Amino acid sequence: MKSKIRIKQPRRAGLRRDLGQIMKCLCTGEQLRKVDKMIPSSESLAAKDYSLSGYSSKIGVPEKKPDTRNIEEAELSLRESSSLNYEEARALLGRIEYQKGNIEAALHVFEGIDIAAISPKMKLTLSKRVDRRKRRSHDYAPPPMSIHAVSLLLEAIFLKAKSLQHLQRFREAAQSCTVILDIVESSLPEGLPENFGADCKLQETLIKAVELLPELWKFGDSPHEAILSYRRALLHQWNLDAETTARIQKQFAIFLLYCGGEASPPNLRCQIDSSFVPRNNIEEAILLLMILLRKVSLKRIEWDPSILDHLSFALSMSGDLRALANQIEELLPGVISRKERYNFLALCYYGAGEDLVALNLLRKLLQSNEDPHCVPALLMASRICGGKPNLAEEGIKFAHRALESLDEECSELEGTGNLLLGVARSTHSNSALSDSERVSRQSEALQALERAWKITSMKDPNILYYLCLENAEQRKLEAALYYAKYLLKLEGGSNIKGWLLLARILSAQKRFVDGEIVLNAALDQTGKWDQGELLRTKAKLQIAQGQLKSAIETYSQLLAVLQVQSKSFGSGRRLHKDRSSRSFEQEIWHDLAYLYISLSQYQDAEVCLSKSKAINSYSAIRSHATGKVILPWVYVVVVIQ
């Protein structure tokens, strides 16, 4: 039989009738023997009926009907080239096997396609098609393959990757999928023109390959290759639709946040001057998620609540909750409910240290026409007010409202409500006008904290901390010491606050040596970056014992840690909600200045105060210390006169 079968009439019906015979003819003789050698089992291609009826040779077992689009691709390829070559026939046969669910048989068929041999022809065909569209001329050399044949072969490579994925050979599948992108990218370096391959399945196959490749590398435990594949998908022009691009951006951001490794910064080929380039995983994830939010605002994609969830996590990790608040404020009305918006914004502003802004938002939410019985909002409002003497009474009211609004029995929320009630009452007691009123309020605060402690079955370390603190403030030091030891045991020494509280209670009992021993034990179990408050408290205990030289050494050690920390993380790194590392460093310089003043080393004290001034020009404590430095010289001048 001739190697090529000529078609006299390009009619669709005639092609459909002859296609089965053509495929059988192509698999006869030497080619059929090659296929039989590849699949020697009884289920070999030679033993199967590859007619287009869509039924298996197994008697009585119906198979899934093949996708007729493949037949149309083959027909169009026949129309353009008047033949169906060996690789195209294998691509079509493999597609039918894949649809039947015979994954291994389909893979054997696909592996018979010589991809290295046909790749140059496919690249030349794609590039010539683009040149033809640009020149709009009929005077050109015909491409070596039809565009429909290219589409058919690219789909075969993609289905080979899917077959390998099904067999859990993820790295091989990724390499096969990469071939598709390499062929298209090398032949079309400037990207795909619009509506390129719209008349065939080429664009659809390409989109699937672009989206599948990073997933294959992830399953193959190759995070670096997965990141490179995500960037390749987003930076090259693949003609992806908006929803597909958004889906890839979201999956990439999720992978960057939770993959557990650190990726190298992207190397952008076309980078605009002064444009932002992310330096690490979190920054790149934040950038991607912000782009997605902007697309939502422009109504290019549908709203996805998980975008905001992941962005909240990323910005919380980076410590920039103010930026998160800005993103939420930019969302169009109706994207999230007003109640949810108030809650989000209040949390953001509270985390950013803007307590009053957060409180005003919560007041709006808790109005009678909004949601006056929202327990989380009531608890948060009580927490904000409970730490401020001028708002403590309002905090007590919020805590009472929260406890009254608890419909179902929830020991955790009830315990939290009583905890916040106790903290607010304790703060409120400081503004009492008489001793009897102060004692009464302190007693109510202690009762609320003990009630919270019992409700939570004495297992909540946060409640225990405040119970211990309240006993210490009321000078019930033995009870405070008992609770502090219990807290340290409950947390296993994992929280610095527990160590500090125990050391300070021992200090209040004039047991300075025991307090220093506790702090040394805490320093041994704590990382360098978290030793600031421990070292400062240790220095103060050394001062209380008259060990001034040792205190100077401790302060010097602390300043060295802060200096290295500022170079590593930047000077704006927040130690906690209310204080940055720079403000903490300024406090240390003030402590050290007073220490030098007590030793009459005024020049050293002046150096410390100049360091403080370099951090912040305005400070009442520094002005007071400066006065103490100048005062002896004024006294000397007055005596001389």
Side-chain angles (χ1 to χ4, degrees):
M1 183 178 178
K2 294 181 180 180
S3 61
K4 293 187 177 181
I5 299 178
R6 300 293 176 183
I7 308 296
K8 293 182 179 180
Q9 297 179 356
R11 291 177 300 176
R12 184 179 181 86
L15 286 171
R16 188 174 293 277
R17 285 195 305 269
D18 297 337
L19 189 56
Q21 296 177 1
I22 292 168
M23 287 162 39
K24 287 182 179 180
C25 291
L26 287 169
C27 289
T28 59
E30 183 181 354
Q31 293 177 355
L32 185 57
R33 286 192 294 273
K34 290 180 181 178
V35 175
D36 287 335
K37 289 177 182 178
M38 290 169 56
I39 313 173
S41 67
S42 59
E43 295 297 324
S44 67
L45 294 177
K48 288 182 178 290
D49 178 14
Y50 285 111
S51 68
L52 297 182
S53 62
Y55 293 94
S56 171
S57 59
K58 297 176 184 178
I59 299 173
V61 182
E63 294 277 347
K64 182 181 177 181
K65 188 175 181 180
D67 191 347
T68 57
R69 288 181 299 176
N70 274 69
I71 301 173
E72 292 169 2
E73 290 285 344
E75 291 179 7
L76 290 168
S77 180
L78 282 169
R79 285 180 184 175
E80 295 187 8
S81 62
S82 300
S83 66
L84 187 68
N85 62 25
Y86 177 60
E87 283 77 13
E88 294 169 29
R90 274 193 169 274
L92 191 55
L93 295 176
R95 180 70 165 89
I96 294 173
E97 285 300 302
Y98 182 84
Q99 284 187 330
K100 289 180 179 180
N102 301 327
I103 303 300
E104 293 185 5
L107 182 59
H108 280 299
V109 177
F110 290 135
E111 285 176 341
I113 300 174
D114 190 352
I115 297 173
I118 63 174
S119 291
K121 297 179 182 179
M122 295 169 70
K123 293 177 184 178
L124 186 58
T125 301
L126 291 173
S127 59
K128 279 184 174 293
R129 183 176 175 86
V130 173
D131 291 340
R132 176 186 174 186
R133 289 163 60 96
K134 288 181 179 178
R135 295 175 186 174
R136 298 185 180 276
S137 172
H138 297 284
D139 186 17
Y140 65 91
M145 303 175 69
S146 70
I147 190 64
H148 299 284
V150 173
S151 174
L152 191 65
L153 292 168
L154 286 178
E155 187 188 25
I157 300 171
F158 175 74
L159 292 178
K160 178 183 176 182
K162 292 288 290 182
S163 301
L164 290 166
Q165 180 192 18
H166 189 272
L167 298 173
Q168 298 186 0
R169 293 158 62 179
F170 300 114
R171 288 176 177 270
E172 296 176 55
Q175 291 166 1
S176 180
C177 207
T178 304
V179 171
I180 301 174
L181 274 60
D182 289 341
I183 290 172
V184 176
E185 193 171 20
S186 60
S187 57
L188 305 171
E190 296 180 2
L192 271 71
E194 292 185 7
N195 299 322
F196 184 83
D199 53 344
C200 58
K201 292 181 64 179
L202 190 149
Q203 182 67 51
E204 180 185 343
T205 302
L206 183 59
I207 291 174
K208 290 178 180 178
V210 168
E211 198 168 2
L212 178 64
L213 182 57
E215 300 298 322
L216 293 174
W217 284 124
K218 284 194 290 186
F219 284 119
D221 195 22
S222 301
H224 179 68
E225 286 78 6
I227 289 172
L228 293 179
S229 299
Y230 273 123
R231 289 174 179 165
R232 185 181 186 182
L234 296 174
L235 294 176
H236 193 77
Q237 181 63 36
W238 303 109
N239 273 355
L240 304 178
D241 59 274
E243 291 295 334
T244 302
T245 304
R247 195 160 53 245
I248 293 173
Q249 287 172 333
K250 178 186 166 185
Q251 292 301 323
F252 187 23
I254 292 171
F255 186 70
L256 287 168
L257 286 175
Y258 312 115
C259 69
E262 190 63 40
S264 57
N267 184 16
L268 302 179
R269 292 173 294 179
C270 301
Q271 181 182 336
I272 303 173
D273 292 338
S274 72
S275 61
F276 173 74
V277 178
R279 296 168 296 179
N280 52 49
N281 285 21
I282 291 182
E283 287 187 359
E284 192 169 2
I286 290 171
L287 180 61
L288 289 165
L289 293 167
M290 283 185 171
I291 290 171
L292 288 171
L293 279 185
R294 180 57 56 88
K295 288 181 178 180
V296 170
S297 299
L298 296 174
K299 297 184 178 180
R300 293 179 182 174
I301 59 173
E302 295 294 327
W303 166 243
D304 183 356
S306 65
I307 296 173
L308 194 56
D309 295 338
H310 296 302
L311 183 60
S312 301
F313 171 77
L315 288 171
S316 299
M317 291 293 293
S318 65
D320 197 356
L321 291 172
R322 188 67 177 81
L324 179 59
N326 292 337
Q327 291 297 315
I328 295 170
E329 288 172 348
E330 289 178 4
L331 290 176
L332 295 174
V335 174
I336 57 176
S337 65
R338 189 155 63 172
K339 173 186 173 182
E340 195 174 2
R341 185 185 295 265
Y342 283 146
N343 264 325
F344 261 122
L345 289 174
L347 286 168
C348 292
Y349 283 114
Y350 178 68
E354 300 182 40
D355 294 353
L356 294 180
V357 178
L359 182 59
N360 287 331
L361 288 165
L362 291 170
R363 285 168 176 162
K364 289 181 180 179
L365 174 61
L366 295 170
Q367 289 175 353
S368 57
N369 58 342
E370 291 291 343
D371 192 357
H373 302 292
C374 180
V375 175
L378 288 167
L379 293 175
M380 186 177 173
S382 177
R383 181 184 179 89
I384 294 171
C385 295
K388 303 181 185 301
N390 59 326
L391 297 172
E393 190 171 359
E394 187 178 4
I396 294 171
K397 293 178 181 178
F398 281 129
H400 277 302
R401 285 174 60 184
L403 290 170
E404 292 169 359
S405 300
L406 289 173
D407 296 330
E408 301 177 0
E409 292 186 3
C410 178
S411 59
E412 287 78 9
L413 286 178
E414 189 178 357
T416 303
N418 279 284
L419 165 64
L420 296 174
L421 178 61
V423 171
R425 288 191 182 280
S426 176
T427 306
H428 190 47
S429 66
N430 297 329
S431 60
L433 299 177
S434 62
D435 289 342
S436 59
E437 186 180 2
R438 177 177 55 80
V439 170
S440 174
R441 291 178 182 177
Q442 286 180 338
S443 176
E444 291 174 350
L446 201 57
Q447 288 175 7
L449 291 170
E450 288 175 347
R451 188 163 55 250
W453 179 234
K454 291 176 182 177
I455 289 171
T456 55
S457 305
M458 299 182 290
K459 293 179 181 178
D460 191 326
N462 195 37
I463 294 173
L464 183 56
Y465 174 81
Y466 282 102
L467 182 59
C468 177
L469 189 62
E470 184 61 27
N471 277 283
E473 287 181 355
Q474 295 185 27
R475 308 307 294 176
K476 299 177 180 178
L477 297 180
E478 289 300 327
L481 183 62
Y482 168 77
Y483 286 127
K485 291 179 178 178
Y486 196 108
L487 174 64
L488 206 61
K489 182 179 179 181
L490 186 64
E491 294 180 328
S494 60
N495 195 339
I496 296 174
K497 289 168 63 176
W499 290 104
L500 286 171
L501 187 57
L502 178 58
R504 287 167 181 169
I505 291 170
L506 292 170
S507 173
Q509 294 180 328
K510 307 297 182 183
R511 296 166 60 181
F512 302 118
V513 176
D514 293 339
E516 192 172 351
I517 292 171
V518 168
L519 291 173
N520 287 331
L523 289 168
D524 291 338
Q525 300 184 31
T526 309
K528 285 288 184 184
W529 301 145
D530 300 320
Q531 290 182 354
E533 286 290 352
L534 294 171
L535 288 170
R536 188 183 187 187
T537 306
K538 180 181 177 180
K540 290 186 176 183
L541 287 178
Q542 289 170 337
I543 293 171
Q545 297 175 73
Q547 301 172 5
L548 303 185
K549 296 293 183 182
S550 299
I552 291 173
E553 292 178 3
T554 304
Y555 275 125
S556 300
Q557 181 184 353
L558 173 54
L559 288 168
V561 170
L562 290 175
Q563 215 168 24
V564 174
Q565 193 178 59
S566 64
K567 290 180 180 178
S568 302
F569 300 104
S571 59
R573 181 175 182 264
R574 303 188 75 82
L575 297 176
H576 51 72
K577 187 173 73 73
D578 300 319
R579 183 169 53 177
S580 69
S581 59
R582 292 293 281 172
S583 63
F584 181 64
E585 183 182 352
Q586 187 179 35
E587 293 174 10
I588 301 305
W589 285 118
H590 293 160
D591 290 349
L592 197 53
Y594 278 112
L595 183 53
Y596 281 126
I597 290 170
S598 66
L599 292 170
S600 300
Q601 297 180 17
Y602 299 111
Q603 290 183 345
D604 293 332
E606 287 178 356
V607 172
C608 294
L609 294 174
S610 66
K611 295 285 188 182
S612 167
K613 189 175 183 180
I615 297 172
N616 189 354
S617 302
Y618 303 99
S619 171
I621 297 176
R622 186 180 63 253
S623 299
H624 178 267
T626 303
K628 296 194 74 172
V629 170
I630 296 173
L631 187 60
W633 298 103
V634 174
Y635 178 75
V636 170
V637 171
V638 171
V639 170
I640 292 173
Q641 290 178 350

